[in-house]
Amino acid sequence: MKYTLIANLKSYKTLHDLQEWLDVIVHNLSSLSTDKLYLAPPAPYYYLFQDVSQFKLLAQDVSPFPPGSYTGAINVDHLLDFHIQGSLVGHSERRRYFHETDSEVVNKIDLLLDRHLLPIVCLNQDNLRTQIELLDSRQRSHCLFAYEPTSAIGTDHPADPQIISQAFQLIADLTGTQTILYGGSVAPDNVTDYLNLPYFGGFLVGHAILDPLVLVHLVKQLQ
Ligand code: PGA
C-alpha cells in the first residue's frame, strides 16, 4: 500500500456481525497488498483477529496507568498479549465523552513507548499547538500523528483540504514528523482530496468502514 489506513470500529458490532464483516474483508482482500492496513476493533474481540494476516491490530484506547489495582483498565501488557502493535491516544471521542485529559494522553504515550508500542496521537483543532507542546522530544519523534477536526468526525462533512494542509504544516513544524494521517468522515468519494497534501501519510477512518466493502474499496484506492 502507498499509504497507511487505520480502520476504527469504535464501539460498533457484536460477535456475529463482526464475523460476517471479517469474512467479507478476508475474501475480498486476498489479492491486495495490506501491509499498511491497521484495524482497531472493540477490545473484547482482539482474539478474533489473532490469525488474520490482512490486518495489523491496534487498540482504540489504553490505560494511563501501569498494570495494578485499576479496576476495568486494559493496560499496555494486555495489548502485548494479543499482539497489538499500538493504540489510538487522545481520540476526540475519548476526550469528549470520557473526559480524557492531556496528562492522561502523555502518560499513555509514555507507557506505550516504554513497551515499544506505537502511539497514534489524535490531534484536533482545539488548542492544537498546546496539545503538541505538552509532548517531550521522545514523544514527538516516536508517535504517529492523526489530525482529526472534531467538526468532521462522524458527520459526513469531511474537512476542507486547505485547512488540513495548514494543520499538517504546523504539526510537522512542531514535531519534525514527515507523515501525518487525516481522519474525519473519510469515504471513497473524498480520499483523492487529500492524497497530494504535503505530509499526507494516510487515513484514520471510522463509520464508513462499518460496511466491509467500503473498507475494501479504500484499500484498493490506496494501493
Ligand atoms: P469517522 O471517524 O470516520 O466516523 O468520522 C474518524 C475517527 O474515528 O477517527
Side-chain angles (χ1 to χ4, degrees):
M1 292 174 76
K2 288 198 188 115
Y3 303 100
T4 297
L5 181 60
I6 298 178
N8 176 12
L9 276 170
K10 308 197 180 198
S11 193
Y12 288 104
K13 297 201 188 286
T14 48
L15 184 57
H16 178 72
D17 293 345
L18 202 51
Q19 278 166 329
E20 283 185 356
W21 183 89
L22 182 58
D23 285 347
V24 175
I25 305 262
V26 169
H27 178 74
N28 284 280
L29 286 185
S30 55
S31 60
L32 296 169
S33 159
T34 54
D35 57 324
K36 294 185 180 174
L37 178 60
Y38 292 82
L39 176 69
Y45 303 121
Y46 290 152
Y47 74 93
L48 267 186
F49 298 93
Q50 295 301 296
D51 298 321
V52 179
S53 61
Q54 279 86 358
F55 295 114
K56 295 177 173 54
L57 286 181
L58 293 176
Q60 296 178 16
D61 187 38
V62 68
S63 174
F65 300 109
S69 295
Y70 303 101
T71 300
I74 296 177
N75 70 54
V76 282
D77 287 349
H78 296 137
L79 303 191
L80 288 174
D81 272 346
F82 285 93
H83 311 290
I84 310 286
Q85 307 214 348
S87 179
L88 305 183
V89 177
H91 192 286
S92 61
E93 290 160 3
R94 299 294 314 176
R95 292 180 193 262
R96 178 173 175 195
Y97 298 117
F98 300 89
H99 312 294
E100 179 166 302
T101 63
D102 287 337
S103 77
E104 285 172 337
V105 168
V106 167
N107 284 351
K108 291 176 186 191
I109 294 172
D110 269 338
L111 288 163
L112 288 162
L113 291 178
D114 287 347
R115 293 288 194 277
H116 305 287
L117 294 168
L118 176 65
I120 293 110
V121 179
C122 302
L123 303 169
N124 57 54
Q125 75 276 27
D126 302 329
N127 307 316
L128 174 59
R129 182 179 284 274
T130 315
Q131 289 168 37
I132 296 170
E133 284 174 348
L134 285 166
L135 307 179
D136 64 25
S137 64
R138 176 177 87 138
Q139 294 164 337
R140 289 185 203 194
S141 56
H142 288 87
C143 293
L144 177 58
F145 293 97
Y147 183 65
E148 304 200 296
T150 38
S151 59
I153 293 185
T155 59
D156 289 323
H157 296 296
D160 180 343
Q162 280 307 111
I163 306 281
I164 298 306
S165 186
Q166 289 164 15
F168 277 11
Q169 187 65 57
L170 180 62
I171 296 166
D173 289 347
L174 292 175
T175 65
T177 186
Q178 297 297 304
T179 305
I180 306 165
L181 308 184
Y182 167 69
S185 297
V186 172
D189 64 352
N190 59 45
V191 297
T192 53
D193 296 347
Y194 303 96
L195 297 183
N196 295 321
L197 296 181
Y199 306 107
F200 174 79
F203 293 111
L204 174 44
V205 191
H207 68 282
I209 54 84
L210 296 176
D211 176 346
L213 290 175
V214 170
L215 179 56
V216 172
H217 193 141
L218 289 168
V219 172
K220 286 183 180 158
Q221 288 177 294
L222 300 184
Q223 293 292 300

